[in-house]
Amino acid sequence: MQSQYEPKKTEEKWYSFWQEKSLFDAKINPKKKPYCIVIPPPNITGILHMGHALNNTIQDVLIRYKRMKGYESLWMPGTDHAGIATQNVVERSLAQEGLRKEDIGRDKFLERLWGWTDEYGSTIINQLKKLGTSCDFKRTRFTMDEGYSEAVKEVFVRLYEKGLIYKGNYIINWCPRCKTALADEEAPHKEIDGWLYYIKYPVKAQGRPVKPPRGQAASKVTKSPVPDYIVVATTRPETMLGDTAVAINPKDKRYKFLKNCEVTLPIIERNLKVVEDNMVEVSFGTGVVKVTPAHDKNDYLMARKHDLEFVNIMRDDAVLNENAAEFAGMDRFEGRQALLEVLQAKGLLDKKEPYKLSAGHCYRCHTIIEPRLSTQWFVRMKPLAKPAIKAVRDNKVRFYPQRWRKVYLNWMQNIEDWCISRQIWWGHRLPVYYCNNCLGQTGSKSQIPKGNKKGVIVSGIRPEKCPECGSKKLVQEEDVLDTWFSSWLWPFATFGWPFNESQSHPVKPPQGQAASKVTKSQDIKRQREEFNYFYPTDVLVTASEILFFWVARMIMAGLQFIGKVPFKDVLIHGTVRDIRGVKMSKSLGNVIDPLEIIDKFGADALRFSLMLLVSSGQDAYLSEEKFLVGRNFANKLWNATRYILSRVPRTACRVPRLNRKDLSLADKWILSELNILIKETTSNFEKFRMDEVAKSIYDFFWHKLCDWYIEISKVEKDKNKENLLIFVLDTVLRLLHPVMPFITEEVWQKINSSKKQGSLMVSEWPAGLKIKALKSEIDSFLALKELIISLRSFKKDLGLYERIEMMVGSGDKRRSRVLKDNLEWVSFLARANIVIGKTSCKESISTANKDFDISLSREFIKDADIHKRKIEKKIEELSGVITSQKNKLSNSSFVKKAPQEVVSGVREKVKVCLDERERLKRIRWS
RNA sequence: GGGCGUAUAGCUCAGAUGGUUAGAGCGCUGCGCUCACAUCGCAGAGGUCUCUGGUUCGAAUCCAGAUACGCCCACCA
């Protein structure tokens, strides 16, 4: 074994070993309880980033832990077709050839997409393997798999038949670059710097003159004169071209006169209606709102209420259309500038003020979205949300950390309908067919009124003819479904749901299994049984970013289609950020590539460091050097193993049974510490506290096993020691394996070399130890440990580095005896030749700790100043403690009200401190 | 405009159900290649636990308020 651990030499070896032995595979096992996690399917366009590394490490750690704990662990892997993202990638490559997707047509474009998917779609899955992920890869699913598509269609049809899917003309988020509708969640609002423009709209008194008849009080006349114009404020001036009204608040007295006026839209010269609506905020802008029903969500709602005209002024690429008069053909922002110039020239631009506004941005390409009136498909969400709210309220689904529960409930209670149609080509095409014959009579298919099903056929299988008129002229809906409309089925569609015998494409059997040997119905039966065994899954591990996109919708889908929640626990971890706290992103260039870290430090180092850093849902601030902890720990483990193996002959190397007999004080101590570690680690895993798991193993291994026990073992070379060293190491390897699978397997194989080859990853999780140490024994050991530290410190303060003779005594007989029994290793570790007994002050210089008095011959001392100051400081410190503790005791309500054990604890503390201080005070310096 | 999170050593963070004159890692100082490990060992320095009130015998820990930073949601043009 080399003195430095080299991860590259072991990682690949053991990963293929596990795969060859099919250790990642899961199947129904009636003797075991199931444990199942479905992977949040990464986009096929994705490449592994630190967020994936974190997310998947957590899952792998849990899966491996439960597997060792005796569960049948299934980690279901797969990828997501990521509609818009993937289409964008392929469009870009097309653009390099100077082509647009329209040039080659839908079929050819889809061919390209499938080609890309076949070539690059599994990149991320292969990268995941480098992390050590123990997914059952034979089950790898893709949201566009034939079988999966059946589930998507089934769900669409079921929802449609229940009246939960409808088609309607609404204002939706439109990305003019991707040229598709987006759901609200896909268009996050971001603040941008803009301007608030104040524009004058000419006003004319209507019909009868407003002028009052002669003789009436003049004051009343001057109260509401009709001005030449009113001023509206807007951040998007170009939309004025689509204005069909202006609105005021009914309570706003300032504009009462407008009811009898004609307002004209400049440039277009259109008459605008004047409407009153409470939605108008009196205090904002001028109190008058321009209403653009086809380009703003609020205006749209207002228009519906007041029966206004809709004027669309933009094409799908946000270029102004023929309704935009002279500005037609200009891009929206170009048009804005041009329009402003015209307004300026005409004296209609009152003023402009800098203004921060928040606008939706496409979550794929970051283009500012344009609210657009268009016909889309929607899912009615309220009925789906209701049971999903109840399930969380009833703790059928629990969130970790719990605060996300509130966020979830808040969102669900205010949920709006989900726009699911997308005007792209890559995705599941809606299982909707139009009969041209029937629709010919009612008009174009974009104007199907809500609820009118005539000529619209929704079916999982393409119908041959129209059930209404028999026509064979059927056309399938061009739109595809939102990617999340397939992802929300992930926890059950991956198992082959809906298990229809009649479905055209059953889920393909696991790779390697001959398809012909398995009949379709057997296959479906197997899938159904597996589903019943593994569903509901156990935990979903995810970042908070997709709580609404995905997690909430999965809960709704699970309850709606299966009648059971899809998972019991939702573990939400933090976001990965750079060292300054900025979210890592490729465009910012602040990413740390996990593959590079693996290359430099090893996958185990990456995993261990990540686990250490993500404490209960907090964001992790990363830099390359933070991974050194993991690397160093791996190296420590490696070298400790090297030492232990040097002590134990290889041929005899196997994990022993422990014998209660002949255990030394140190043995008892380390076993008792190990026992605590087993308990803590197990309970921390159950609480999803992977940071605590990593921390406590690290602490035990490094600072208890290596710093003390192994050091002691260099002196205390009894027969038991070898067995114990192997035993403790073996136990730690088991505990650590979920977090650091590679090095633990490598080491475990070495210390189990005499056994026939098994694998650590499927060996048993450590149970609590039966051997118990007495409290007094542990106490004695700790006193010796403290003594060693005091001896070292004492020497150090006196500037002594040689192995010298030191005198140690104790007033306590038991302490003296224990010291005598363990003198050899105490001396070794203290680097001193210890003599038990007392010496006179004249010849020696002394110190004391809680249990022992220490002194050494004056002949060694050159300079005792540091030591003297330290003693003084220590005395001061002790006095402080004594005073504060005594104060407590003199407080009668403390003695009365505090628990007995606390009071006696304080008394004990005072006693001990007094004693130590007394002994320190006795030290004479000359 | 709502909702949430975080403020503890120079840095990154631990500190269930209140009882420690507050812990770790990194960094820093000093010493050491003690035969597993310099990706190491040993000994140290370093904190009025953001502020102000309150509850309590007792608060880093619970409550209220303030301040700072961060995040999410929302139809103020």
Side-chain angles (χ1 to χ4, degrees):
Chain A
M1 283 175 84
Q2 286 109 329
S3 66
Q4 279 183 15
Y5 174 59
E6 289 175 44
K8 276 188 193 145
K9 288 194 177 162
T10 60
E11 295 188 351
E12 211 168 300
K13 177 175 74 184
W14 293 115
Y15 200 77
S16 23
F17 172 80
W18 295 326
Q19 283 200 301
E20 274 158 28
K21 296 221 159 189
S22 299
L23 299 182
F24 301 162
D25 298 4
K27 55 178 184 297
I28 296 176
N29 185 340
K31 287 183 196 146
K32 290 182 172 182
K33 279 197 227 160
Y35 186 79
C36 180
I37 298 178
V38 290
I39 204 168
N43 292 349
I44 44 167
T45 54
I47 47 166
L48 192 79
H49 56 65
M50 210 39 101
H52 292 124
L54 170 60
N55 178 250
N56 289 290
T57 299
I58 293 173
Q59 293 174 74
D60 194 47
V61 165
L62 290 171
I63 282 283
R64 284 178 185 270
Y65 162 67
K66 286 287 180 175
R67 198 183 277 127
M68 291 177 76
K69 201 90 206 292
Y71 289 75
E72 184 67 20
S73 265
L74 167 60
W75 188 8
M76 176 82 80
T79 48
D80 190 294
H81 68 278
I84 301 172
T86 312
Q87 173 155 328
N88 284 350
V89 169
V90 175
E91 268 187 279
R92 271 202 294 277
S93 83
L94 209 54
Q96 285 179 349
E97 299 166 36
L99 291 169
R100 291 172 309 138
K101 66 177 192 297
E102 289 78 10
D103 298 332
I104 61 171
R106 186 165 188 150
D107 290 345
K108 281 262 179 278
F109 186 63
L110 284 177
E111 251 174 56
R112 286 253 192 171
L113 272 155
W114 279 109
W116 191 91
T117 302
D118 291 342
E119 197 172 344
Y120 302 108
S122 52
T123 305
I124 186 135
I125 292 286
N126 291 329
Q127 289 175 325
L128 277 179
K129 294 179 179 174
K130 293 262 188 291
L131 274 178
T133 50
S134 59
C135 301
D136 187 349
F137 288 105
K138 288 178 184 145
R139 295 175 187 266
T140 305
R141 297 282 185 264
F142 178 46
T143 49
M144 291 274 280
D145 277 346
E146 286 171 343
Y148 201 104
S149 302
E150 292 299 322
V152 174
K153 280 189 250 175
E154 174 88 15
V155 158
F156 189 96
V157 173
R158 284 198 196 180
L159 288 176
Y160 184 79
E161 282 168 358
K162 280 199 171 175
L164 294 176
I165 282 185
Y166 63 92
K167 189 178 192 182
N169 204 17
Y170 292 100
I171 290 275
I172 44 84
N173 302 300
W174 182 265
C175 173
R177 205 217 60 86
C178 301
K179 290 188 196 164
T180 180
L182 296 170
D184 292 341
E185 296 73 40
E186 292 172 319
H189 281 69
K190 272 185 242 164
E191 199 167 77
I192 49 176
D193 286 317
W195 297 89
L196 190 57
Y197 301 93
Y198 290 79
I199 301 168
K200 296 174 182 172
Y201 283 14
V203 174
K204 224 172 29 194
Q206 199 181 36
R208 276 174 304 153
V210 203
K211 224 176 164 185
R214 244 170 227 273
Q216 220 168 304
S219 64
K220 276 186 187 169
V221 184
T222 50
K223 237 182 189 173
S224 56
V226 176
D228 293 340
Y229 55 84
I230 49 165
V231 177
V232 298
T234 178
T235 54
R236 296 187 297 153
E238 69 281 8
T239 61
M240 70 179 278
L241 302 166
D243 284 3
T244 57
V246 290
I248 53 168
N249 189 301
K251 287 186 208 123
D252 194 345
K253 298 233 168 65
R254 293 175 299 171
Y255 295 109
K256 278 278 183 246
F257 68 87
L258 270 179
K259 274 198 274 186
N260 298 316
C261 289
E262 256 174 32
V263 181
T264 312
L265 180 65
I267 301 169
I268 305 282
E269 303 293 334
R270 180 161 48 224
N271 266 341
L272 300 178
K273 270 196 178 180
V274 176
V275 298
E276 292 180 313
D277 199 299
N278 286 324
M279 235 146 114
V280 179
E281 198 77 31
V282 176
S283 57
F284 188 89
T286 59
V288 188
V289 182
K290 59 189 273 307
V291 184
T292 322
H295 292 279
D296 184 276
K297 198 173 168 187
N298 280 327
D299 295 7
Y300 168 82
L301 294 173
M302 231 188 265
R304 294 279 295 239
K305 241 194 270 178
H306 302 284
D307 198 22
L308 302 175
E309 202 191 331
F310 294 82
V311 177
N312 184 352
I313 59 156
M314 272 182 219
R315 303 192 327 218
D316 62 4
D317 56 355
V319 167
L320 299 170
N321 67 14
E322 66 282 359
N323 289 330
E326 61 205 88
F327 306 103
M330 293 182 190
D331 169 77
R332 52 183 167 164
F333 299 121
E334 236 180 281
R336 177 180 298 175
Q337 290 314 316
L339 175 75
L340 286 168
E341 277 167 33
V342 172
L343 289 173
Q344 180 84 283
K346 292 194 173 183
L348 293 172
L349 186 59
D350 189 45
K351 60 175 174 177
K352 65 172 190 179
E353 297 170 343
Y355 187 72
K356 282 200 196 304
L357 61 141
S358 91
H361 289 67
C362 173
Y363 84 135
R364 283 293 164 220
C365 72
H366 311 296
T367 304
I368 296 180
I369 64 114
E370 195 62 37
R372 188 166 201 256
L373 184 63
S374 77
T375 305
Q376 303 289 345
W377 291 83
F378 296 86
V379 179
R380 228 180 279 287
M381 294 308 274
K382 289 257 191 287
L384 295 179
K386 213 179 153 195
I389 290 169
K390 190 176 182 320
V392 169
R393 282 230 180 95
D394 295 349
N395 290 322
K396 297 273 191 308
V397 180
R398 291 172 303 249
F399 287 88
Y400 297 84
Q402 233 206 339
R403 61 174 185 270
W404 294 105
R405 178 189 144 107
K406 231 192 260 177
V407 179
Y408 167 93
L409 288 173
N410 184 47
W411 186 75
M412 290 290 272
Q413 278 149 2
N414 299 303
I415 198 163
E416 293 198 29
D417 288 357
W418 176 15
C419 175
I420 52 169
S421 45
R422 297 290 177 275
Q423 288 66 51
I424 56 172
W425 288 348
W426 178 238
H428 300 100
R429 208 155 154 183
L430 274 69
V432 175
Y433 304 86
Y434 300 107
C435 169
N436 277 346
N437 193 33
C438 294
L439 291 172
Q441 295 148 21
T442 49
S444 95
K445 57 182 185 252
S446 65
Q447 285 167 352
I448 301 159
K450 214 154 128 184
N452 181 356
K453 292 183 184 174
K454 196 174 180 235
V456 180
I457 306 134
V458 173
S459 163
I461 301 159
R462 187 189 179 90
E464 296 221 341
K465 54 185 183 188
C466 172
E468 200 73 29
C469 69
S471 166
K472 291 192 173 175
K473 285 187 180 168
L474 300 180
V475 188
Q476 187 173 2
E477 168 67 61
E478 295 283 322
D479 291 356
V480 300
L481 288 160
D482 178 4
T483 301
W484 299 100
F485 193 86
S486 49
S487 329
W488 75 329
L489 315 177
W490 190 249
F492 48 91
T494 45
F495 283 95
W497 185 88
F499 317 115
N500 284 340
E501 295 267 350
S502 59
Q503 76 190 37
S504 46
H505 305 288
V507 171
K508 48 183 180 198
Q511 283 163 23
Q513 218 170 311
S516 55
K517 281 188 192 161
V518 186
T519 68
K520 203 162 93 179
S521 66
Q522 279 176 330
D523 193 40
I524 288 169
K525 190 173 165 242
R526 173 187 59 84
Q527 288 175 16
R528 191 192 300 272
E529 282 168 0
E530 284 190 337
F531 178 67
N532 289 335
Y533 181 67
F534 286 113
Y535 189 98
T537 69
D538 289 90
V539 56
L540 185 89
V541 182
T542 183
S544 62
E545 282 93 338
I546 51 175
L547 182 61
F548 304 140
F549 273 118
W550 193 50
V551 180
R553 287 174 184 157
M554 277 192 290
I555 297 174
M556 292 189 267
L559 289 164
Q560 178 72 23
F561 303 110
I562 311 297
K564 283 184 200 163
V565 295
F567 30 73
K568 297 151 207 157
D569 294 321
V570 178
L571 176 58
I572 295 182
H573 59 249
T575 304
V576 171
R577 299 175 181 279
D578 73 8
I579 199 68
R580 304 191 322 279
V582 182
K583 209 163 159 175
M584 283 190 188
S585 79
K586 240 195 291 176
S587 55
L588 287 173
N590 62 346
V591 291
I592 299 174
D593 183 357
L595 296 173
E596 226 171 83
I597 299 294
I598 290 174
D599 191 51
K600 275 190 184 157
F601 306 135
D604 286 328
L606 173 80
R607 293 169 63 116
F608 185 85
S609 301
L610 283 176
M611 291 306 94
L612 210 54
L613 288 168
V614 273
S615 44
S616 53
Q618 290 308 104
D619 289 350
Y621 292 42
L622 297 180
S623 64
E624 193 175 299
E625 62 183 15
K626 291 216 172 178
F627 294 98
L628 289 174
V629 197
R631 181 199 61 169
N632 294 354
F633 187 49
N635 197 55
K636 189 75 180 176
L637 178 60
W638 183 253
N639 277 295
T641 304
R642 237 159 43 101
Y643 167 76
I644 292 171
L645 287 177
S646 76
R647 285 283 303 271
V648 185
R650 281 298 275 280
T651 46
C653 194
R654 63 188 187 82
V655 178
R657 292 212 165 168
L658 287 189
N659 195 341
R660 179 81 179 78
K661 274 197 300 186
D662 304 327
L663 291 179
S664 73
L665 210 52
D667 297 339
K668 285 177 185 162
W669 172 74
I670 199 70
L671 288 175
S672 115
E673 290 288 351
L674 183 65
N675 208 16
I676 293 167
L677 181 72
I678 294 169
K679 278 196 196 127
E680 277 182 354
T681 305
T682 309
S683 106
N684 282 324
F685 268 125
E686 298 295 338
K687 287 187 285 192
F688 301 123
R689 292 301 302 260
M690 271 66 81
D691 58 329
E692 290 294 334
V693 168
K695 215 174 284 179
S696 49
I697 296 175
Y698 180 95
D699 183 60
F700 171 84
F701 192 83
W702 203 307
H703 298 306
K704 287 171 182 154
L705 185 65
C706 291
D707 289 352
W708 291 95
Y709 190 69
I710 283 185
E711 290 308 309
I712 293 167
S713 81
K714 289 174 182 173
V715 177
E716 208 174 58
K717 287 188 172 174
D718 56 295
K719 256 196 183 158
N720 251 343
K721 236 358 137 272
E722 290 165 11
N723 283 343
L724 273 164
L725 284 170
I726 292 282
F727 176 83
V728 174
L729 178 60
D730 176 81
T731 306
V732 173
L733 292 175
R734 287 166 199 260
L735 297 174
L736 186 57
H737 179 262
V739 179
M740 297 182 112
F742 294 109
I743 188 173
T744 51
E745 182 79 74
E746 169 77 14
V747 168
W748 190 82
Q749 296 286 348
K750 284 187 194 301
I751 67 169
N752 283 282
S753 59
S754 64
K755 262 200 218 157
K756 68 171 194 257
Q757 197 169 34
S759 169
L760 175 59
M761 76 163 275
V762 288
S763 61
E764 253 177 63
W765 189 252
L769 305 179
K770 296 215 175 75
I771 294 171
K772 298 270 185 303
L774 297 173
K775 202 165 168 262
S776 62
E777 292 173 316
I778 301 302
D779 184 57
S780 296
F781 179 84
L782 293 178
L784 295 181
K785 196 163 164 267
E786 282 309 307
L787 171 64
I788 290 166
I789 292 169
S790 298
L791 289 166
R792 286 166 177 170
S793 183
F794 189 34
K795 275 177 69 182
K796 176 83 178 192
D797 292 341
L798 299 168
L800 300 169
Y801 305 107
E802 308 300 308
R803 176 174 282 273
I804 48 169
E805 193 168 273
M806 297 179 86
M807 278 83 57
V808 178
S810 174
D812 185 328
K813 272 184 194 157
R814 209 179 60 212
R815 289 267 185 273
S816 302
R817 211 196 59 236
V818 168
L819 174 58
K820 199 177 152 208
D821 292 345
N822 296 275
L823 196 59
E824 201 182 353
W825 65 264
V826 175
S827 295
F828 174 75
L829 289 192
R831 291 187 53 74
N833 301 322
I834 296 175
V835 177
I836 302 176
K838 286 186 179 174
T839 43
S840 76
C841 297
K842 274 184 187 160
E843 295 152 2
S844 67
I845 190 158
S846 329
T847 189
N849 75 6
K850 198 154 72 65
D851 297 290
F852 295 98
D853 296 306
I854 303 164
S855 52
L856 53 78
S857 171
R858 226 166 249 275
E859 62 182 289
F860 297 114
I861 313 301
K862 287 168 238 125
D863 181 9
D865 273 4
I866 296 173
H867 179 59
K868 195 171 171 183
R869 253 177 283 140
K870 203 163 169 184
I871 297 282
E872 280 160 3
K873 194 178 161 193
K874 181 77 190 166
I875 289 172
E876 220 172 279
E877 217 176 282
L878 285 167
S879 300
V881 177
I882 290 162
T883 312
S884 77
Q885 301 304 310
K886 273 189 170 171
N887 282 346
K888 279 187 191 176
L889 290 174
S890 59
N891 183 338
S892 62
S893 34
F894 170 74
V895 181
K896 232 189 298 172
K897 292 184 183 173
Q900 203 47 54
E901 66 221 45
V902 175
V903 179
S904 59
V906 171
R907 288 212 175 93
E908 178 64 23
K909 194 168 183 176
V910 172
K911 215 179 95 190
V912 170
C913 290
L914 277 172
D915 175 64
E916 188 180 347
R917 187 175 66 173
E918 203 44 48
R919 285 184 290 127
L920 285 173
K921 277 183 172 169
R922 261 189 260 133
I923 296 172
R924 294 279 170 273
W925 299 100
S926 52

